[in-house]
Amino acid sequence: MQIRIGEALEQGISTMLKNPITLIPLAVAGVINFFMGRYISSAVYKMLSPMMEQLQPFNNVGAQTLPDNVSSSFDPALAQQFAGDFFSLWTSIAPIVIVGGLVMLILYLMSVRLTADAIMETPSPKEALMMSLKKCIPVVLSYILFVAMVGAGSILLLIPGIFLAVRFCYFPFATMLDDKGIISSLSKSWEITKGNFWRTFSLGLVITVLGIGISLLFAVLAPTNPLALASGQMPALPQILQNIAGVIVAALVVGTFTKAYLQARE
């Protein structure tokens, strides 16, 4: 069946608004992302602050000559210390990023299943959660293959990369809604986008434009200070609004693409 863009947008969005339970996993993922971002920016600042203090004399842009004590004030061992600190930082935040990323993926997949169930029948949070836990790792492996293929296509030329990205974009939905495996989910996406390439591309383009507009709107409401972000002292409000915008955009993606997938597989 052909994808009907207007119907996918209207019914996908209205389904999520009429069934707030479909939005709860995305909201929880937004909260997790907020605290992860705060922790990582603070950890990076603590690592970089000694180096920044040592390089402070170089920041005087108006000076024609550097101070005489620059070479003596800079510790040659600082680079080695920085490398060690970077390794320590990575080993400390990597588990948090990996675990947090997996939890957010599970929540995203849960929202996909809840949205599809809400469109067709009554959503069941328990069943959606169990399915998400079961399919989390297969989706990750499918995603690795997806990135590899799209990346290879993009290296050759940009257009093949875009073509492959559109043809394979439904693999998470095939996994969650049709119980497909690692390879079969990609095959299912390839199958249903045959004859629906331009409709899927257009739907993605509409969501991208809407997403940019929403992100810019929230950025205007609470502008981000790059210096505050770099110093690890960014106020919470801009990050909260950024995450709210992210949740809204994620809801648009989940609602519309879930409905589009259901249309295409009919």
Side-chain angles (χ1 to χ4, degrees):
M1 290 287 292
Q2 289 187 342
I3 293 171
R4 300 173 293 281
I5 297 176
E7 182 181 325
L9 285 166
E10 189 274 327
Q11 290 192 10
I13 295 172
S14 63
T15 297
M16 300 196 78
L17 292 176
K18 292 176 182 177
N19 298 271
I21 193 171
T22 62
L23 297 171
I24 292 176
L26 299 178
V28 174
V31 173
I32 294 173
N33 187 59
F34 168 77
F35 284 107
M36 282 180 55
R38 299 287 290 186
Y39 172 79
I40 292 173
S41 61
S42 176
V44 170
Y45 171 70
K46 289 179 181 178
M47 182 194 71
L48 292 177
S49 56
M51 177 73 75
M52 294 169 65
E53 291 175 0
Q54 288 286 325
L55 296 177
Q56 188 63 36
F58 293 93
N59 294 332
N60 189 356
V61 179
Q64 297 297 320
T65 58
L66 293 174
D68 294 335
N69 63 342
V70 165
S71 59
S72 60
S73 63
F74 184 79
D75 185 359
L78 193 61
Q80 183 177 357
Q81 178 186 342
F82 175 78
D85 290 345
F86 180 81
F87 179 77
S88 299
L89 174 68
W90 173 246
T91 55
S92 65
I93 68 173
I96 296 175
V97 172
I98 293 172
V99 173
L102 286 175
V103 172
M104 287 191 289
L105 173 61
I106 290 169
L107 292 167
Y108 175 84
L109 296 176
M110 185 177 176
S111 181
V112 169
R113 184 56 184 259
L114 287 171
T115 302
D117 288 346
I119 291 173
M120 297 183 295
E121 50 189 46
T122 303
S124 171
K126 182 179 179 180
E127 291 182 5
L129 176 60
M130 296 305 296
M131 188 68 171
S132 301
L133 291 170
K134 175 184 175 183
K135 291 297 185 179
C136 177
I137 299 303
V139 167
V140 170
L141 296 176
S142 296
Y143 180 73
I144 292 173
L145 292 176
F146 172 81
V147 171
M149 289 184 290
V150 172
S154 299
I155 290 173
L156 297 174
L157 283 172
L158 182 60
I159 293 177
I162 295 175
F163 175 78
L164 292 174
V166 173
R167 293 300 301 269
F168 289 126
C169 71
Y170 288 106
F171 77 87
F173 304 90
T175 303
M176 288 301 298
L177 307 183
D178 285 328
D179 199 19
K180 297 296 183 180
I182 298 170
I183 304 298
S184 57
S185 64
L186 293 165
S187 300
K188 181 68 175 179
S189 180
W190 185 271
E191 173 190 333
I192 67 172
T193 50
K194 184 179 181 180
N196 279 309
F197 174 85
W198 288 112
R199 291 178 177 84
T200 300
F201 177 83
S202 299
L203 182 60
L205 189 61
V206 170
I207 294 300
T208 299
V209 172
L210 290 174
I212 292 173
I214 292 170
S215 299
L216 289 175
L217 175 62
F218 278 83
V220 170
L221 293 175
T224 301
N225 185 341
L227 294 177
L229 180 63
S231 67
Q233 299 174 348
M234 180 178 175
L237 180 59
Q239 280 189 297
I240 291 174
L241 292 178
Q242 287 173 7
N243 279 275
I244 292 175
V247 170
I248 295 173
V249 173
L252 285 173
V253 173
V254 170
T256 55
F257 274 86
T258 298
K259 179 60 181 178
Y261 179 82
L262 295 175
Q263 289 176 344
R265 76 171 190 179
E266 291 176 355

